[in-house]
Amino acid sequence: MKFDILIIGGGLAGLTCGIRLQKNGVKCVIVSTGQSALHFSSGSFDLLNELADGTKVDNPVAAADKVSANHPYAKLGNNFAYYAREAKQQFLDCGIEVNGDAEHNHLRITPMGTLKPTWLTFSDFTPLSSANDIAGKKILVVNMAGFLDFNTKFVADSFEKYGAECRISSINLPELERLRISPTEMRSTNIARVLENEKTLEALILELTGKISGFDIVALPAVFGLSSAASIKKLKESLDIPVWLIPTMPPSVPGIRAQQQLRRSFEELGGVYMLGDTVVKADFSGNKVQAVYSVNHGDISFVAENFILASGSYFSNGLVAQPDSVIEPVFGSDVDFTPGRDSWYDKAFFNKQNYMTFGVATDDKLRIKIKGDAQRNLFAIGSVLSGSNTIHEGCGAGISMLTALYVADNLIKG
């Protein structure tokens, strides 16, 4: 099988890159092992919330030139602001409505009801400018009876710390009662499927209408809109007070919807998406990849002009930690890591963890290095890259999208 470009990994980075390439007439295949991290999304996309030294960032564009020299953003040159705009526009072009901009982080509500800075937020959710948007409000926090992945008490307690007055309630519909026969069925995605039925949604809206009198806001778990945002729009338009949807524990309904929309856009542009297969090895000629092989296709090779590694970090086995090293398992790429396993982590769980900065070594064009030599047609994008602590710095989605667009454009230009 031959393509112009083969992308390993079908998450945010891989799909962003593939869509950009397909729009410009470059024939791509994406080989994806399984679920994308978007399935676990909190509903927002971080660009840059904090520098490595702990300095808080309000304006990512203004702070981008302060990252370390080996940070993925440093390799974008002066293109950070441009690619941030392009990333948002690609979401909108794919029918994914988001709010926010790269020159001012806004606040998002977490599954615990706390506030965190972010760059872009799905239109399902309500972006806030400060905790003052919560202070003084009377908020009704409502859950679906029996749904355990949304803790109303945590959310209400957090809102009250910000100065709100909260009350907790629940809704029980016959259609949802059937899900509770098995606790494993009472999950966000299954609830969302039930609520896509127009009559069921209307019944829920009627229940809410009888509860919201005297409140300024009603907060609900984000269990609406699995296949489209139509049910969310109807819910918000039908009630007399603002509806705040709160992210749930995974799986994420809006994240899954975004993944589906990105994949659909890629395939509509002519891209080939192979889900459930894993690339395991490659053939080289000098410093150029000739072909790769996957589990499902055995000895049948994938041949391409260029190859892009978008396999993610430890979570998706894009990186694998061994007793005394960290490896990239497909190509044997050089990996930046510090020797001595004790230096990889801090025993205090919530402290900055050094292992998060480990990743594949690349040159300024994000070409992967193997034994110190940059490979001519092998690139890395997203969280497999070294040089950033995506959790500590709040930059994971930004790195995925901006590096994907950067590599795609370099390949388009030739």
Side-chain angles (χ1 to χ4, degrees):
M1 288 179 282
K2 187 170 184 178
F3 299 87
D4 295 334
I5 292 177
L6 182 141
I7 300 170
I8 301 171
L12 183 58
L15 281 165
T16 297
C17 191
I19 290 169
R20 184 74 153 203
L21 290 165
Q22 285 290 155
K23 279 186 176 180
N24 286 274
V26 182
K27 183 65 175 177
C28 299
V29 59
I30 291 176
V31 182
S32 179
T33 299
Q35 290 182 345
S36 154
L38 281 170
H39 286 239
F40 306 89
S41 169
S42 64
S44 293
F45 299 89
D46 295 339
L47 184 60
L48 185 62
N49 297 339
E50 192 171 304
L51 297 177
D53 63 4
T55 302
K56 303 297 182 184
V57 171
D58 178 61
N59 183 336
V61 170
D65 61 356
K66 297 180 177 65
V67 298
S68 61
N70 65 331
H71 196 286
Y73 286 158
K75 298 182 180 183
L76 302 178
N78 297 320
N79 296 309
F80 179 87
Y82 168 72
Y83 282 124
R85 291 193 299 271
E86 290 293 292
K88 179 180 179 180
Q89 188 59 51
Q90 187 177 99
F91 271 144
L92 299 175
D93 291 345
C94 292
I96 301 170
E97 297 181 16
V98 290
N99 298 310
D101 64 76
E103 294 182 347
H104 182 71
N105 283 329
H106 61 267
L107 296 176
R108 65 178 176 91
I109 302 172
T110 73
M112 303 296 287
T114 57
L115 299 181
K116 297 289 185 183
T118 196
W119 163 42
L120 298 176
T121 296
F122 290 130
S123 61
D124 305 34
F125 302 105
T126 303
L128 305 178
S129 57
S130 73
N132 291 333
D133 294 335
I134 296 177
K137 299 292 193 303
K138 293 183 178 180
I139 303 177
L140 179 65
V141 183
V142 180
N143 195 13
M144 312 303 163
F147 179 46
L148 302 180
D149 292 335
F150 179 66
N151 194 307
T152 52
K153 184 68 165 59
F154 285 164
V155 172
D157 286 351
S158 294
F159 284 172
E160 289 183 342
K161 288 179 182 177
Y162 294 125
E165 178 184 334
C166 296
R167 184 185 300 171
I168 293 171
S169 185
S170 66
I171 285 180
N172 188 10
L173 300 175
E175 294 80 2
L176 295 176
E177 185 69 38
R178 286 192 283 272
L179 290 179
R180 282 192 292 279
I181 295 173
S182 170
T184 59
E185 293 300 311
M186 198 64 178
R187 306 302 300 275
S188 59
T189 49
N190 293 331
I191 296 171
R193 289 188 185 97
V194 170
L195 293 175
E196 287 192 333
N197 179 282
E198 189 171 342
K199 290 184 178 179
T200 305
L201 180 62
E202 288 174 353
L204 180 135
I205 290 170
L206 184 62
E207 286 277 337
L208 287 171
T209 301
K211 292 176 178 287
I212 60 175
S213 178
F215 290 93
D216 301 311
I217 296 161
V218 58
L220 293 159
V223 292
F224 303 85
L226 185 62
S227 60
S228 79
S231 59
I232 299 167
K233 291 178 180 177
K234 182 171 182 177
L235 173 68
K236 292 183 176 182
E237 290 170 357
S238 300
L239 297 178
D240 293 332
I241 62 174
V243 176
W244 286 4
L245 295 184
I246 311 297
T248 68
M249 301 302 288
S252 164
V253 170
I256 292 171
R257 187 177 76 241
Q259 170 78 13
Q260 292 171 338
Q261 287 176 280
L262 289 171
R263 176 179 174 178
R264 185 161 50 246
S265 295
F266 173 69
E267 292 178 325
E268 287 174 351
L269 290 165
V272 176
Y273 194 96
M274 294 186 174
L275 179 63
D277 201 359
T278 303
V279 175
V280 291
K281 62 179 181 177
D283 287 337
F284 286 85
S285 176
N287 63 347
K288 187 174 182 180
V289 180
Q290 297 295 314
V292 298
Y293 300 84
S294 73
V295 171
N296 292 354
H297 290 82
D299 294 334
I300 301 173
S301 64
F302 291 85
V303 178
E305 292 297 319
N306 292 282
F307 299 81
I308 299 172
L309 185 66
S311 53
S313 189
Y314 307 96
F315 178 75
S316 55
N317 290 320
L319 299 173
V320 177
Q322 298 186 328
D324 58 355
S325 64
V326 177
I327 66 167
E328 182 279 300
V330 177
F331 299 102
S333 311
D334 292 351
V335 175
D336 293 327
F337 69 94
T338 57
R341 194 179 181 93
D342 287 348
S343 69
W344 294 4
Y345 60 91
D346 189 308
K347 291 182 180 179
F349 181 78
F350 291 105
N351 286 355
K352 185 177 178 180
Q353 302 296 331
N354 192 33
Y355 70 85
M356 289 298 299
T357 65
F358 302 164
V360 168
T362 65
D363 67 5
D364 287 346
K365 296 291 185 182
L366 297 182
R367 292 179 298 190
I368 289 174
K369 293 181 180 180
I370 299 178
K371 296 181 179 178
D373 293 329
Q375 305 301 294
R376 290 167 54 194
N377 68 337
L378 178 60
F379 301 81
I381 58 177
S383 57
V384 76
L385 292 165
S386 69
S388 67
N389 188 318
T390 55
I391 293 178
H392 178 74
E393 297 169 17
C395 59
I399 287 175
S400 290
M401 298 192 76
L402 273 59
T403 59
L405 294 170
Y406 174 70
V407 166
D409 281 359
N410 284 335
L411 289 171
I412 291 164
K413 294 172 186 174

